[in-house]
Amino acid sequence: MSELLNALEDERFPKQSSHPFSDSSPDPSSQRLNRTVLIAEDNEIDRELYRRYLLRNSEQTYQVLEAVTGKEALDFCRLQPDVVLLDYRLPDFEGLEFLKALQAQSGHLSPPVIVITGQGNESIAVQLMKAGAEDYLIKGRLSSDELQFAVESAIEKAQLQRKIRQIEAERQQNLERERIINRIAQQVHRSLDLDDILQTTVQEVRQFLHTDRVLIFSFEPELEWGAVVAEAVVSPWDSVLSNTFHDPCFHRGYAEGYRQGRVMAAADIRTIGLEPCHLEFLESLQVRANLVVPILQKETLWGLLIAQNCAAPREWKPADVDLLKQLATQVGTAIQQANAYAKMAEWNNRLIEVNEALKVTLKELQTTEEELRQQHEQLAHEQQRYQDLFNFAPDGYVVTNSNGQIQEANQAIVDLLAVEPQFLLNQPLACYLASAEDQQAFFIQLNQPHCFQQVQSLELQLRSQQGRTFPAGITITGIYSNGQLTGLRWLIRDITERKQAEAEREHLLQQEQAARTAAERANRLKDEFLAVLSHELRSPLNPILGWVKLLQSHQLAPEKTTVALETIERNAKLQAQLIEDLLDISRIMGGKLTLNAAPVDLATVLSAALETVRLAAIAKSIQLDLAILPSENNAATHLAANRVFGDATRLQQVFWNLLSNAIKFTPNGGRVTVKLEQVAAQNGEMGSRDTRRSATHPSSTSTPLHSSAPPLIPPFTQVTITDTGKGIAPEFLPFVFEYFRQEDASTTRQFGGLGLGMSIARQMVEMHGGTIAAASPGEGQGATFTVCLPLIRSQGDGKLRRWRENNSSTPPTSPNPASPYPSTHPLAGVRVLIVDDEPDTREFLAFLLQDEGATVTEATCAADVLQTMEQFSPDVIVSDIGMPEIDGYMLMQRLRTSQQTRSIPAIALTAYASKSDQQQAIAAGFQRHATKPIDPGKMIALIQELVQPQ
């Protein structure tokens, strides 16, 4: 029965195709409403009658489930059919018994039930309606229209009731949320107890959200430390109230977002790409799902209001986020209120102190007039004596005699030297100099009294009483009496910050010089790359243009003509490959390279890559060997033999790059060996093969190994490509996977290329979750490249399972690619309009299509197209994108607005080859997107595909 229920559920809810180009035009039959009707009737004739009655309805599509007994019907009701047609008397249930059993099983989720009986009985009908039946029909008087009306009425009534219950549940939830917000707001306005407000908030939120833990976290100013100040948590989860936590990665990764008021709603913290240190911190608190709302004080991040689910992941609803944001605002208000109250209390205490001080001052002012006069005279005398000293505050100010002995000092110098004033006076200033050299310079200055007629400035190192040494800027002026030097005034300033600024400025200058050097190096690399690029793009043009000139000016022999055409084709493909490498690098650096991931057999991919380079190896008499080693622990670990989850095309591109590189740098008669094996964990250790040690512990080998990423953890599959070529110099080995890097970039280099193949291979391997490493004993001793990719562990592997779910529907079979040289005229009778402002491309396409039997009309611009369409009605339009005044996108949009040209299929033929360009062409109204240079066979196949009968 369970298998039958699963089959019926799949039939009722068919999976959708994930093919990106599947026809999405609606089937007319799909416009009808789908209804699932369960017929519980032990009479086969009656069941067939009811089914036929229902199928007469042209506005609905009925899926009929049939049950002979009440038990079968109850099992089918778990699938939630739209309505149940119930025979009053079943072999094991009567109508009332079935309704009670259904109510006990499904409650308010029970489907509507229409009871059908052979005899009308008003008493039974009343009982059935009270027991939950939607309608009561009599078999003898039942018609098709009556049955359809009863079924549709019951379904519509049930749908209306479900909607009413949903609206009521949402209304109750909104009322409860408003109640919580109002309660917290009232408490904020009534109470000054911040702790009570915070605790009430977390308790109310936890009860409303039915979550495991709600807490309020308060930050220290540096945002790396903080404590939990309020918490509501249920058993068995640990309480973290009053705990202090340190999250070092919070400040650099998340603080700015919270400071801007952003909210983090994580249904599962393990799947949203958190920093490893932050993820480890949350997992230590038993958190699985996290909803975090910042608590702000103006532009300052005071803390966080956090709801946590510990038992399992949880999808946070917008209403949950809304509630926490409103409560965070209320908490912020409460914090402001508490801070204001604290400041008010502080000012009140200050006012009390000021009042006491005023009382003392009042008593002092009540002194006698004589005392005031004497004090005034004494103050005037002292003011004159100390006026100069305190004019220099807050810098240190010292007055010495002519020998440098301190007579007066202000508070600033006392603080600077960390010495009590009584121990400072009458001491020689020289005892606070840090070094003997400074003391010597100090006494030389004192022995030249005539110098103090002018202001003297110098910098010395001082040492405080506590031993702190600091640089000081000193300004000295002389005090003269009757032309004699009687003392010195010393203005002393701590210039530590200035010295630090100078050191920092010097450091910044060094950094700027280093940056300039790096920029010059980058500019030199750019110039070298552009020179190599120019050489590599121009070199294929030489044989192309040369053979074209010979073909135009000479009547060559057939065999020479064949050689010429093969040379032109080979060099054109070489240029196309160079451009494709540049586009790949652009996509990778722009983060736009995507993978069509699926389970892939690496043995098949390697075999295909080897076939593509075999001719090049044969030309150099290089021996190609492929060794596929069996897995020792495959049965024990349930590993799919050499199967990885990735893009077969991109993986083949990786191995083609490595193989072609090995063949290019291997001399004639050399050897290239490819080995495929598995590295599996066994008894907690690496597998038994020798390669496991070298793949995971590069330091254990004698050959330097430079990898693109940390080593993989077994089990994984490993591909090793070893050649007997020229090897790699040790100084270049660390840069072998960098962009545009070549060991020999000079004009006398032996081997060509842009230096992109290894960097493309590295990026693609890392996108597959793998690593790539290079090793070489040295120049002339060959090289080894090792690619490690994670295996599909078992049939239950998460990636494999998700791929199967997304690809469970059988994808449409793609048509076989057409032969580039068809034997007949496949386009006979097909009318094609070619639109291109480039005459060479236009003439080539016209010749190609006419040679295949098509009738071709040419247009150079959009205006020609609109004029041509008045006399010529094409079956297919082939249009360029980049054209003057009106481009291909604008042209297609105009054609799609006309009733006459709306349905004509079109192909965009353009040099714009990115994924976004393809999507833009399809959105503009094109049916296909083809990139230049176009293969003739592919163009013919595209036209055939568009004109063939649907």
Side-chain angles (χ1 to χ4, degrees):
M1 175 60 72
S2 61
E3 295 177 357
L4 177 60
L5 293 176
N6 292 334
L8 289 172
E9 186 172 13
D10 290 342
E11 183 179 355
R12 184 183 177 192
F13 304 105
K15 297 179 174 62
Q16 299 298 319
S17 170
S18 61
H19 195 277
F21 303 111
S22 58
D23 188 4
S24 60
S25 58
D27 185 358
S29 63
S30 65
Q31 303 300 318
R32 297 183 295 178
L33 299 176
N34 292 318
R35 308 291 199 193
T36 302
V37 180
L38 171 59
I39 301 177
E41 170 64 64
D42 59 339
N43 188 312
E44 183 177 1
I45 296 175
D46 289 342
R47 290 199 307 272
E48 180 62 17
L49 178 63
Y50 303 154
R51 189 180 69 83
R52 293 187 178 187
Y53 278 175
L54 293 173
L55 295 180
R56 292 179 184 177
N57 191 339
S58 61
E59 296 180 356
Q60 283 83 23
T61 299
Y62 290 100
Q63 180 183 6
V64 178
L65 310 178
E66 296 182 3
V68 178
T69 66
K71 185 178 183 304
E72 290 182 358
L74 288 174
D75 289 338
F76 277 121
C77 285
R78 299 182 190 277
L79 295 177
Q80 289 294 309
D82 295 310
V83 68
V84 179
L85 297 181
L86 174 68
D87 183 25
Y88 183 73
R89 295 189 184 277
L90 294 174
D92 54 345
F93 279 94
E94 283 196 351
L96 291 174
E97 295 174 344
F98 180 87
L99 290 172
K100 291 179 181 178
L102 180 60
Q103 184 66 24
Q105 173 180 292
S106 303
H108 69 275
L109 297 177
S110 301
V113 179
I114 300 174
V115 180
I116 305 177
T117 182
Q119 296 179 354
N121 188 320
E122 183 174 344
S123 175
I124 293 177
V126 172
Q127 294 180 33
L128 290 170
M129 300 301 283
K130 289 183 177 180
E134 287 295 331
D135 206 346
Y136 179 81
L137 303 177
I138 300 173
K139 291 184 178 180
R141 300 196 295 259
L142 185 62
S143 66
S144 172
D145 292 340
E146 183 179 3
L147 180 61
Q148 294 174 10
F149 177 79
V151 168
E152 290 304 312
S153 298
I155 292 174
E156 292 174 1
K157 182 177 179 182
Q159 291 175 345
L160 180 60
Q161 290 175 347
R162 284 196 295 269
K163 188 172 183 179
I164 291 173
R165 285 195 297 269
Q166 180 182 359
I167 293 173
E168 179 61 20
E170 292 177 354
R171 188 180 70 84
Q172 290 296 333
Q173 189 179 36
N174 290 335
L175 289 175
E176 179 64 14
R177 184 171 72 249
E178 292 299 325
R179 183 193 67 78
I180 293 175
I181 294 172
N182 290 335
R183 179 177 175 184
I184 300 300
Q186 291 175 5
Q187 189 169 3
V188 168
H189 292 297
R190 286 199 310 264
S191 174
L192 294 175
D193 189 347
L194 180 61
D195 292 338
D196 184 50
I197 293 172
L198 299 181
Q199 192 59 38
T200 301
T201 300
V202 296
Q203 291 286 359
E204 291 286 350
V205 172
R206 198 207 65 74
Q207 293 176 8
F208 178 77
L209 296 182
H210 301 291
T211 190
D212 298 325
R213 182 192 291 135
V214 176
L215 56 88
I216 294 178
F217 187 87
S218 175
F219 285 110
E220 294 295 334
E222 62 271 21
L223 296 181
E224 289 187 4
W225 292 89
V228 177
V229 297
E231 179 195 45
V233 63
V234 296
S235 181
W237 310 110
D238 297 337
S239 172
V240 295
L241 183 61
S242 302
N243 288 5
T244 300
F245 297 100
H246 177 232
D247 188 356
C249 66
F250 178 84
H251 189 278
R252 69 173 183 268
Y254 308 96
E256 186 58 29
Y258 288 133
R259 190 180 288 113
Q260 296 176 3
R262 298 177 184 169
V263 175
M264 179 179 28
D268 189 344
I269 62 171
R270 301 174 185 172
T271 62
I272 62 173
L274 294 176
E275 291 279 346
C277 59
H278 192 57
L279 178 60
E280 181 180 358
F281 170 73
L282 291 178
E283 288 182 338
S284 69
L285 302 180
Q286 304 171 309
V287 178
R288 189 63 187 274
N290 215 23
L291 175 57
V292 186
V293 177
I295 301 173
L296 301 175
Q297 292 291 290
K298 295 183 180 179
E299 297 180 357
T300 302
L301 179 60
W302 182 89
L304 303 172
L305 176 56
I306 308 173
Q308 297 174 341
N309 226 49
C310 302
R314 169 176 176 167
E315 290 291 340
W316 302 103
K317 302 177 182 177
D320 301 341
V321 178
D322 223 21
L323 172 64
L324 261 67
K325 289 173 69 175
Q326 295 186 53
L327 290 180
T329 302
Q330 295 295 338
V331 170
T333 302
I335 294 169
Q336 290 179 348
Q337 183 174 289
N339 292 339
Y341 177 76
K343 288 184 179 180
M344 186 182 300
E346 180 182 355
W347 279 107
N348 186 49
N349 292 334
R350 289 186 180 180
L351 287 175
I352 293 174
E353 294 174 359
V354 171
N355 187 43
E356 293 296 328
L358 289 175
K359 289 180 181 179
V360 173
T361 304
L362 182 60
K363 290 180 181 180
E364 294 175 351
L365 292 176
Q366 294 173 351
T367 56
T368 61
E369 181 178 356
E370 183 61 22
E371 291 174 334
L372 290 174
R373 185 184 63 78
Q374 292 176 0
Q375 291 177 4
H376 178 72
E377 290 177 355
Q378 184 178 0
L379 288 173
H381 178 71
E382 293 292 332
Q383 181 180 6
Q384 183 63 37
R385 192 158 66 102
Y386 289 104
Q387 186 69 44
D388 293 339
L389 177 65
F390 290 102
N391 282 341
F392 290 92
D395 292 330
Y397 184 47
V398 175
V399 177
T400 68
N401 59 20
S402 58
N403 296 323
Q405 191 174 19
I406 299 174
Q407 296 178 336
E408 298 182 34
N410 70 347
Q411 186 61 39
I413 194 64
V414 170
D415 296 337
L416 199 61
L417 298 177
V419 62
E420 295 294 333
Q422 61 268 26
F423 298 112
L424 187 63
L425 298 179
N426 299 320
Q427 292 293 322
L429 184 59
C431 68
Y432 294 101
L433 297 176
S435 65
E437 292 80 1
D438 287 347
Q439 292 178 358
Q440 183 179 1
F442 176 81
F443 287 115
I444 291 175
Q445 193 79 19
L446 289 180
N447 291 330
Q448 299 176 357
H450 61 278
C451 297
F452 298 113
Q453 294 178 356
Q454 297 179 350
V455 177
Q456 302 294 314
S457 297
L458 66 157
E459 293 182 1
L460 300 174
Q461 291 285 330
L462 299 184
R463 181 184 292 111
S464 68
Q465 190 71 23
Q466 296 178 348
R468 184 178 76 91
T469 301
F470 59 92
I474 302 176
T475 302
I476 311 171
T477 57
I479 302 174
Y480 290 89
S481 177
N482 298 324
Q484 296 294 322
L485 179 68
T486 59
L488 297 170
R489 297 188 185 93
W490 304 75
L491 179 65
I492 303 174
R493 176 176 298 170
D494 186 350
I495 59 173
T496 301
E497 292 184 358
R498 193 189 80 189
K499 289 293 184 181
Q500 290 175 347
E502 291 174 354
E504 183 176 357
R505 185 169 61 250
E506 181 65 24
H507 178 65
L508 290 176
L509 179 60
Q510 294 175 358
Q511 284 185 327
E512 188 274 335
Q513 292 174 346
R516 182 185 299 119
T517 302
E520 291 173 353
R521 177 178 174 275
N523 194 48
R524 184 174 66 255
L525 289 176
K526 180 196 70 174
D527 291 342
E528 291 177 359
F529 168 70
L530 290 177
V532 172
L533 176 62
S534 175
H535 174 269
E536 293 300 321
L537 289 176
R538 290 174 180 271
S539 294
L541 288 176
N542 184 52
I544 291 174
L545 293 175
W547 280 113
V548 168
K549 288 291 186 181
L550 289 176
L551 289 172
Q552 288 175 339
S553 59
H554 296 76
Q555 186 67 31
L556 300 180
E559 59 274 11
K560 281 297 182 180
T561 301
T562 301
V563 171
L565 294 176
E566 290 175 350
T567 302
I568 292 171
E569 180 183 16
R570 183 172 59 255
N571 284 275
K573 288 182 177 179
L574 176 59
Q575 278 197 327
Q577 182 61 45
L578 291 174
I579 294 171
E580 189 62 31
D581 284 347
L582 290 172
L583 290 175
D584 277 345
I585 285 296
S586 176
R587 295 186 192 106
I588 290 170
M589 297 178 72
K592 298 179 180 178
L593 184 66
T594 58
L595 300 179
N596 297 321
V600 176
D601 184 0
L602 272 189
T604 304
V605 173
L606 278 174
S607 298
L610 283 168
E611 287 305 316
T612 60
V613 300
R614 191 171 299 280
L615 288 178
I618 292 173
K620 296 180 68 175
S621 299
I622 294 175
Q623 181 178 349
L624 282 178
D625 293 331
L626 172 62
I628 301 178
L629 303 184
S631 172
E632 296 178 354
N633 302 313
N634 192 35
T637 58
H638 306 288
L639 299 178
N642 299 321
R643 285 172 63 81
V644 299
F645 197 77
D647 188 326
T649 302
R650 291 301 184 181
L651 288 175
Q652 183 174 340
Q653 182 179 354
V654 169
F655 296 125
W656 178 87
N657 275 341
L658 296 176
L659 288 168
S660 59
N661 209 53
I663 291 172
K664 180 169 69 173
F665 290 103
T666 299
N668 292 348
R671 183 174 182 176
V672 176
T673 303
V674 181
K675 182 167 61 175
L676 172 62
E677 60 183 334
Q678 291 183 13
V679 178
Q682 185 176 18
N683 297 327
E685 299 179 355
M686 299 296 175
S688 61
R689 298 196 185 282
D690 296 338
T691 53
R692 298 172 191 148
R693 181 171 180 84
S694 64
T696 56
H697 299 285
S699 61
S700 65
T701 65
S702 60
T703 302
L705 184 73
H706 291 268
S707 175
S708 63
L712 292 179
I713 298 175
F716 56 84
T717 186
Q718 179 172 290
V719 178
T720 305
I721 299 176
T722 305
D723 63 65
T724 59
K726 67 184 294 289
I728 305 173
E731 58 272 15
F732 182 72
L733 196 57
F735 310 104
V736 71
F737 293 111
E738 291 189 3
Y739 296 125
F740 312 125
R741 293 301 295 266
Q742 291 181 313
E743 186 173 1
D744 182 7
S746 66
T747 58
T748 60
R749 61 180 181 157
Q750 181 180 0
F751 303 100
L754 296 178
L756 298 178
M758 292 299 100
S759 59
I760 292 174
R762 179 195 62 151
Q763 293 290 343
M764 290 185 179
V765 169
E766 291 179 356
M767 288 177 69
H768 283 80
T771 62
I772 183 170
S776 177
E779 295 188 32
Q781 301 183 57
T784 299
F785 287 84
T786 303
V787 176
C788 298
L789 295 168
L791 282 166
I792 297 177
R793 295 174 179 264
S794 67
Q795 295 300 316
D797 186 271
K799 290 183 179 179
L800 179 60
R801 184 171 62 254
R802 287 191 295 274
W803 178 83
R804 284 179 171 169
E805 291 172 357
N806 294 332
N807 296 273
S808 57
S809 298
T810 302
T813 304
S814 59
N816 293 326
S819 170
Y821 304 105
S823 58
T824 61
H825 296 287
L827 301 183
V830 178
R831 299 184 301 277
V832 182
L833 174 60
I834 299 175
V835 187
D836 200 314
D837 60 327
E838 177 59 43
D840 291 342
T841 302
R842 195 170 62 249
E843 291 173 4
F844 165 70
L845 282 176
F847 174 79
L848 170 66
L849 301 182
Q850 287 171 349
D851 192 52
E852 298 301 329
T855 301
V856 178
T857 296
E858 302 177 27
T860 61
C861 61
D864 289 350
V865 172
L866 300 177
Q867 183 177 358
T868 302
M869 295 295 284
E870 297 178 359
Q871 293 86 22
F872 181 73
S873 178
D875 297 316
V876 176
I877 299 175
V878 180
S879 175
D880 187 21
I881 294 298
M883 295 186 294
E885 297 183 1
I886 299 178
D887 61 17
Y889 299 134
M890 299 167 62
L891 170 61
M892 193 51 53
Q893 289 170 356
R894 290 190 181 184
L895 294 178
R896 293 309 181 221
T897 59
S898 172
Q899 187 68 28
Q900 179 184 358
T901 59
R902 179 178 301 169
S903 60
I904 300 176
I907 300 172
L909 179 59
T910 174
Y912 299 108
S914 69
K915 189 70 174 179
S916 60
D917 295 323
Q918 177 181 352
Q919 294 171 350
Q920 186 177 359
I922 300 301
F926 288 96
Q927 278 67 43
R928 295 291 183 271
H929 178 272
T931 58
K932 299 177 181 178
I934 184 68
D935 181 80
K938 184 176 180 181
M939 174 57 72
I940 295 169
L942 287 176
I943 295 175
Q944 285 182 297
E945 183 181 345
L946 290 179
V947 300
Q948 67 184 359
Q950 298 297 324

